[in-house]
Amino acid sequence: MNPIAVAASLVLAGLAAPRAADGPYRFVKDVAIGGEGGWDYLNLDAAGKRLLISHGTKVVVFDLKTDTVVGEIADTPGVHGAVIA
């Protein structure tokens, strides 16, 4: 293949590659939640500063002040979210 065509293809591919959007959001840090399988919905308990994360057969309770898992609501097969009332 022509070296100029290869170089042009690489340049065009680099120009077309998606880039992170500038905006109000930025990466702060990764926090390990653990567990198997995928995550579903997230619900915020703003008053308690906790995040409820539905995960397979349980809801994980994550403390946003300490960035730690502080508990779980077990035995909820098929859970698709949790609401704080």
Side-chain angles (χ1 to χ4, degrees):
M1 183 174 230
N2 181 343
I4 294 174
V6 171
S9 296
L10 291 175
V11 169
L12 290 174
L15 292 175
R19 291 182 168 66
D22 293 330
Y25 303 106
R26 64 185 174 85
F27 176 79
V28 176
K29 66 179 162 178
D30 277 328
V31 179
I33 303 293
E36 294 181 17
W39 301 98
D40 204 352
Y41 294 101
L42 306 174
N43 290 292
L44 177 65
D45 171 14
K49 304 283 191 250
R50 293 186 173 171
L51 188 63
L52 304 171
I53 308 163
S54 61
H55 181 68
T57 61
K58 64 184 176 183
V59 175
V60 175
V61 182
F62 186 81
D63 188 307
L64 295 169
K65 294 181 282 185
T66 61
D67 290 338
T68 58
V69 174
V70 294
E72 67 179 46
I73 303 166
D75 197 23
T76 56
V79 67
H80 288 290
V83 176
I84 297 297

